[in-house]
C-alpha cells in the first residue's frame, strides 16, 4: 500500500487512493502532529516507530527497517540529526514503502548470499552482495569491513556479521557510500 494511501485509510477510516496534493499534505500534517508526542516539531526515533507501527496495522518495524526509514527521511534536508521534520516525513514514508514492497526480495537476496546458511553474512559474503549491487565499483576489503562493522553494530548486538535485521542497514550504508539513491527500486535487482 502507498504511504499516503495508508495515511488516508488510517486517518479517515476509508480508502482514498486518488487525493489531491493538498489533501495529502493535510493528512501528512495531521499524522505528523498526532505522533509528535512531545510537540517538539520533530519526530524522534520512538515517535517514528510508533507512527510506522500505526501505519503497518500494529506491526512494528525492525530496528534496521526503522534505521533505513529514519536515515532516508532525515537526509532529505541535507542535515542528519536523527530527527524527522514535517518536510522529511514524506521521504521517510517513501522509504518505508520500499521496505514493505521489497521485504520478500530482500529476504531472498539475503538467503542467496548467506552461502553457509549461518544466519549472518560474513565479510566475503557481504563483499559479493556489495559487488553485485555496484558492478562498476568493486568494494575494497576496507570498504566491506567498514560496512560490516557499522551494520553489525546497528542493532546493538555485535556478532561479527550482518544478520537479517541488519541487512537493510548494510544496503543503505553501501548506497550512501557509492552515491546511489536508496529510493531507487532497482537497487535490489541482483537476483
Amino acid at each position: 500500500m502507498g504511504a499516503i494511501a495508508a495515511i488516508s485509510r488510517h486517518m479517515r477510516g476509508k480508502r482514498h487512493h486518488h487525493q489531491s496534493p493538498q489533501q495529502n499534505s493535510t493528512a501528512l500534517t495531521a499524522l505528523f502532529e498526532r505522533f509528535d508526542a512531545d510537540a517538539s516539531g520533530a519526530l524522534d526515533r520512538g515517535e517514528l516507530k510508533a507512527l510506522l507501527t500505526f501505519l503497518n496495522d500494529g506491526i512494528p518495524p525492525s530496528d534496521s527497517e526503522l534505521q533505513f526509514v529514519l536515515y532516508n527521511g532525515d537526509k532529505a534536508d541535507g542535515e542528519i540529526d536523527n530527527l524527522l521534520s514535517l518536510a522529511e516525513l514524506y521521504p521517510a514514508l517513501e522509504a518505508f514503502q520500499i521496505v514493505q514492497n521489497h521485504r520478500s526480495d530482500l529476504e531472498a537476496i539475503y538467503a542467496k548470499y548467506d552461502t553457509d546458511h549461518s544466519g549472518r553474512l560474513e565479510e566475503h559474503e557481504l563483499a559479493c552482495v556489495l559487488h553485485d549491487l555496484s558492478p562498476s565499483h568493486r568494494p575494497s576489503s576496507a570498504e566491506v569491513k567498514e560496512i560490516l562493522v557499522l551494520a553489525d553494530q546497528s542493532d546493538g548486538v555485535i556478532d561479527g556479521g550482518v544478520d537479517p535485521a541488519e541487512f537493510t542497514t548494510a544496503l543503505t550504508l553501501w548506497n550512501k557510500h557509492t552515491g546511489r539513491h536508496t529510493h531507487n527500486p532497482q537497487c535490489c535487482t541482483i537476483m
Side-chain angles (χ1 to χ4, degrees), residues 73-120:
D74 195 20
K75 72 178 183 174
D77 68 358
E79 178 184 340
I80 305 295
D81 59 6
N82 291 313
L83 298 170
L84 289 183
S85 66
L86 177 57
E88 296 169 327
L89 183 57
Y90 188 81
L93 292 177
E94 287 182 319
F96 187 57
Q97 186 173 348
I98 289 169
V99 168
Q100 296 300 305
N101 291 343
H102 295 285
R103 179 174 280 132
S104 62
D105 293 336
L106 290 169
E107 290 169 354
I109 292 166
Y110 188 89
K112 174 183 175 181
Y113 288 91
D114 183 17
T115 56
D116 62 2
H117 309 290
S118 66
R120 64 182 195 169

Side-chain angles (χ1 to χ4, degrees), residues 19-64:
Q19 293 190 346
S20 72
Q22 184 166 354
Q23 288 170 313
N24 288 339
S25 177
T26 300
L28 200 62
T29 300
L31 184 69
F32 183 88
E33 290 172 352
R34 178 177 178 177
F35 285 92
D36 183 15
D38 60 3
S40 65
L43 299 178
D44 63 26
R45 188 177 179 89
E47 293 166 332
L48 178 61
K49 184 173 185 174
L51 184 153
L52 297 177
T53 300
F54 174 77
L55 291 177
N56 199 29
D57 297 322
I59 301 168
S62 70
D63 287 340
S64 63

Side-chain angles (χ1 to χ4, degrees), residues 114-133:
D114 183 17
T115 56
D116 62 2
H117 309 290
S118 66
R120 64 182 195 169
L121 298 179
E122 284 82 20
E123 188 176 332
H124 68 282
E125 294 165 324
L126 182 59
C128 290
V129 173
L130 301 181
H131 177 261
D132 288 352
L133 277 172

